[in-house]
Amino acid sequence: NSFCFSLLRDSRGLLWTGTLGGLNRYDGSHFTVFNARQDSNSFINNTIIDLCEDKQGNIWGATGSGIFCYQVQQHKFINYVPPGYDYARAVNNIICDKKGNIWATGLWTILKLNKQKDSFEEIGPLTKVKDSLSFYSVRANGMIEDPSGNGIWMATRLGLHYYTIAENKFTSYKNSGADSLFVKHSISALSWSKFGYYWFFDNTTREMVAFDPATHKILHRIPADGIIPGAVGQTLFEDSHHRLWFSTWNYKMAVVDYLNNRHTIIEYKNDNPLTVPGDNFWDVWEDEDNTIWLASGGGLARCNYTKSIFTIYPVADKVPEFSAGNIGEFAIDPINHSWWIASDANPSVINY
């Protein structure tokens, strides 16, 4: 299926993609496709929303109705049905932490793998008021491990939450005192930057916000209304050149060079095969060549701003003489850099 939710580069250098129709593995040349089947060695659901790799090299997946673990060496799938209601088994986030623990979030629950029992147990929810569960549900792209390894950050419609593992304690706007990081705002698109800080999108103030997870200091606030008015954040990622790749639930996307106060809107165009194949993206990964990989609603896409190879110029759209013919000769005037093109459809030379 071309609808991609998640990307994972594993310790062996293989790229895994979770899609609306199964699990894909890319070795640089070929894709291997795994699908849910009615047998004992298959994963639980074809809708794969998030992926992570544990310390043993196993691949874990969050799906539309539970969790799977793919034991790569044994080529074996193990499925886990999370606790909760039958109609709310979807799992939006899964992480494999530094200490080897597996964490996940359901629609209203926060889960941890009990290795002794080989089952997931609930450590949440974030509220005991059932009428408010939807406000406290952890958003997709809304869970990330603290760099210290001592806690988990979560993004909800009622602000950031931090879970201190050793104390089994949740911190939020309710009990954080004067800590200005924890406010009663709608938060989404939580992500880690390779520069050591975290980003999220504040849907209340319409800002991209960077903070230091150790000190809770706000480092950057980037207003989004001048980029995508009324934006509701979906995905936010900072690349090696300090560009923010931003996707929204408004089906608008942008690349933001926040240090130089510039931005570029990116969008799908039916007549240009070099555009992103969709109106939003769920996940982003940057490889060693600084190529950006996007998991989008129309498939997997990649782009390298630092090594542009070619650009399509739709000459025929503006010059009717080329609509039914081929380009015969092409030259660039070295003085004014104009293009001179010869067409074989009608004997003509055109200054483009």
Side-chain angles (χ1 to χ4, degrees):
N1 190 282
S2 62
F3 196 116
C4 291
F5 287 108
S6 54
L7 296 170
L8 171 68
R9 171 79 172 275
D10 72 13
S11 56
R12 295 167 289 269
L14 300 174
L15 181 64
W16 299 80
T17 63
T19 78
L20 191 62
L23 177 67
N24 301 322
R25 182 180 64 203
Y26 180 57
D27 63 7
S29 300
H30 303 94
F31 279 94
T32 300
V33 180
F34 303 84
N35 294 114
R37 305 183 306 274
Q38 298 297 321
D39 61 46
S40 59
N41 189 28
S42 178
F43 46 86
I44 195 168
N45 189 292
N46 266 331
T47 301
I48 301 173
I49 303 167
D50 199 11
L51 295 165
C52 70
E53 181 186 18
D54 68 19
K55 297 172 77 67
Q56 288 72 45
N58 301 316
I59 306 300
W60 292 79
T63 81
S65 59
I67 297 167
F68 71 79
C69 173
Y70 177 49
Q71 297 179 338
V72 177
Q73 296 299 324
Q74 294 79 23
H75 184 52
K76 179 181 179 181
F77 286 94
I78 300 173
N79 293 305
Y80 299 86
V81 178
Y85 299 105
D86 287 339
Y87 58 84
R89 301 287 187 191
V91 178
N92 287 328
N93 300 281
I94 190 163
I95 59 174
C96 305
D97 74 14
K98 296 180 176 68
K99 299 177 181 178
N101 296 308
I102 314 298
W103 305 84
T105 63
L107 291 181
W108 305 312
T109 56
I110 300 166
L111 308 166
K112 181 183 179 183
L113 178 67
N114 184 321
K115 294 183 178 179
Q116 285 70 37
K117 297 180 180 179
D118 195 29
S119 63
F120 279 87
E121 297 178 344
E122 185 177 347
I123 65 166
L126 296 174
T127 179
K128 297 183 183 301
V129 182
K130 291 187 177 182
D131 289 346
S132 299
L133 282 172
S134 62
F135 294 105
Y136 286 92
S137 63
V138 179
R139 314 287 285 264
N141 289 333
M143 181 172 67
I144 194 167
E145 183 184 10
D146 190 80
S148 68
N150 296 325
I152 307 291
W153 291 91
M154 287 163 280
T156 78
R157 290 173 176 82
L158 288 179
L160 282 175
H161 289 67
Y162 180 73
Y163 176 65
T164 306
I165 298 172
E167 301 175 14
N168 190 28
K169 176 187 175 183
F170 289 97
T171 302
S172 69
Y173 74 92
K174 292 182 178 181
N175 61 352
S176 59
D179 193 329
S180 60
L181 183 61
F182 297 97
V183 291
K184 193 178 177 181
H185 290 183
S186 175
I187 303 299
S188 61
L190 185 60
S191 68
W192 168 82
S193 167
K194 62 175 58 181
F195 300 103
Y197 42 84
Y198 288 173
W199 287 92
F200 63 81
F201 189 74
D202 188 324
N203 296 291
T204 302
T205 62
R206 311 292 184 192
E207 293 175 310
M208 305 171 211
V209 181
F211 71 96
D212 183 329
T215 64
H216 297 186
K217 181 182 178 181
I218 301 294
L219 304 176
H220 301 285
R221 289 186 180 273
I222 316 299
D225 270 341
I227 302 169
I228 300 176
V232 179
Q234 177 189 14
T235 307
L236 189 58
F237 175 83
E238 182 173 20
D239 68 19
S240 297
H241 294 86
H242 293 287
R243 289 186 298 254
L244 292 173
W245 295 75
F246 181 46
S247 178
T248 73
W249 291 112
N250 313 63
Y251 302 104
K252 301 289 184 180
M253 302 169 287
V255 180
V256 182
D257 180 359
Y258 67 93
L259 294 182
N260 295 301
N261 196 28
R262 296 195 297 259
H263 72 273
T264 302
I265 299 296
I266 55 176
E267 58 185 346
Y268 167 72
K269 294 182 180 179
N270 188 53
D271 59 350
N272 187 347
L274 297 184
T275 57
V276 60
D279 296 321
N280 60 354
F281 52 84
W282 285 72
D283 202 0
V284 190
W285 169 62
E286 181 179 17
D287 66 19
E288 296 85 350
D289 197 38
N290 300 127
T291 296
I292 302 297
W293 296 70
L294 302 176
S296 81
L300 187 62
R302 61 182 180 178
C303 168
N304 195 317
Y305 267 36
T306 65
K307 298 180 180 180
S308 297
I309 300 173
F310 58 86
T311 302
I312 289 180
Y313 291 90
V315 177
D317 291 353
K318 296 184 178 180
V319 184
E321 287 83 356
F322 287 105
S323 60
N326 298 315
I327 292 178
E329 295 290 339
F330 173 82
I332 298 178
D333 189 319
I335 298 175
N336 61 15
H337 304 292
S338 60
W339 291 8
W340 293 84
I341 309 168
S343 167
D344 66 358
N346 298 298
S348 57
V349 177
I350 298 167
N351 176 204
Y352 178 71

